[in-house]
Amino acid sequence: MATVLITGANRGLGLEFTRQYAADGWNVIACCRQPSLASDLDRLAGQCNTIQVEALDVADFAQIDALSGKLSSRCIDVLINNAGVYGDSQAGGFGQLDYQTWTKVLLINTQAPLKMAEAFLNQIKCSEKKLIVNISSLMGSIADNDSGGSILYRSSKAALNAAMKSLAIDLKNQSIGVLIFHPGWVKLIWVAQMP
């Protein structure tokens, strides 16, 4: 049975990735910062015994190393670097940039996915699929930026794209694939269930 590790698995795309991979029969290692507060993920894990929930704050590289150590004997077919933050605010555009927040956005959106790839490289190497997947954004495109703004987020995703392109070249001789994709704008729709 194939295994996928997903960061930011407690909501949005990460939760949906978790749901769909589990439904397809995969072992899912679903990571989020505070599992005790991740009620939707907890409910999903309670319904499917192939979901293993792990605490992981990708901004804490010691936690990444610790989780890699805990999972050192596991093979991970697909690593999905989904966790991310936006960071920009209406009040913080050019002339009022929050450089401390920018540093945090770069840490989470750019550096953490590379750290995850480094920390879990041995687990990925021993798998059959050998794939590192990164959730990026069209907002990381320099050529497509015709509206400006969102400097923190845009720069972090552009940097992620550049770093992962280099990683793809570096890992090619080890037959490890590196994928970057833009899932599109995600809108959560809440549907009331009928009794």
Side-chain angles (χ1 to χ4, degrees):
M1 188 182 296
T3 298
V4 59
L5 188 152
I6 304 166
T7 65
N10 61 312
R11 60 187 177 92
L13 287 172
L15 184 62
E16 186 60 20
F17 284 138
T18 300
R19 188 190 69 72
Q20 289 191 26
Y21 273 99
D24 285 346
W26 286 56
N27 285 317
V28 180
I29 303 166
C31 303
C32 65
R33 285 179 294 168
Q34 296 178 299
S36 62
L37 301 178
S39 57
D40 292 337
L41 178 58
D42 186 50
R43 189 170 24 265
L44 184 60
Q47 297 168 356
C48 184
N49 64 2
T50 62
I51 299 174
Q52 172 184 340
V53 178
E54 294 287 347
L56 179 65
D57 180 348
V58 297
D60 184 337
F61 288 6
Q63 279 190 25
I64 292 175
D65 288 334
L67 183 60
S68 177
K70 179 180 179 180
L71 301 174
S72 62
S73 64
R74 300 277 300 269
C75 292
I76 296 173
D77 292 272
V78 179
L79 166 63
I80 301 180
N81 288 310
N82 170 67
V85 295
Y86 181 65
D88 288 279
S89 69
Q90 296 285 27
F94 182 73
Q96 298 177 325
L97 291 171
D98 181 338
Y99 288 91
Q100 188 173 2
T101 299
W102 196 355
T103 299
K104 185 173 183 177
V105 170
L106 288 166
L107 174 69
I108 294 169
N109 292 355
T110 308
Q111 293 178 359
L114 267 292
K115 177 60 179 173
M116 289 292 296
E118 280 187 325
F120 287 93
L121 185 61
N122 287 334
Q123 292 92 326
I124 294 165
K125 277 184 186 178
C126 74
S127 74
E128 288 186 26
K129 299 193 186 307
K130 297 181 176 71
L131 186 60
I132 300 168
V133 177
N134 303 279
I135 307 303
S136 187
S137 171
L138 189 60
M139 291 180 75
S141 169
I142 294 170
D144 190 65
N145 184 356
D146 58 4
S147 61
S150 302
I151 291 172
L152 282 60
Y153 185 74
R154 286 183 188 278
S155 63
S156 72
K157 291 302 185 175
L160 173 68
N161 295 345
M164 287 301 168
K165 170 62 177 174
S166 288
L167 186 63
I169 294 167
D170 294 344
L171 296 180
K172 183 178 180 181
N173 66 346
Q174 298 180 54
S175 300
I176 296 174
V178 178
L179 176 66
I180 308 164
F181 75 92
H182 160 62
W185 184 64
V186 178
K187 181 178 180 181
L188 297 178
I189 300 173
W190 300 101
V191 179
Q193 293 184 347
M194 299 301 288

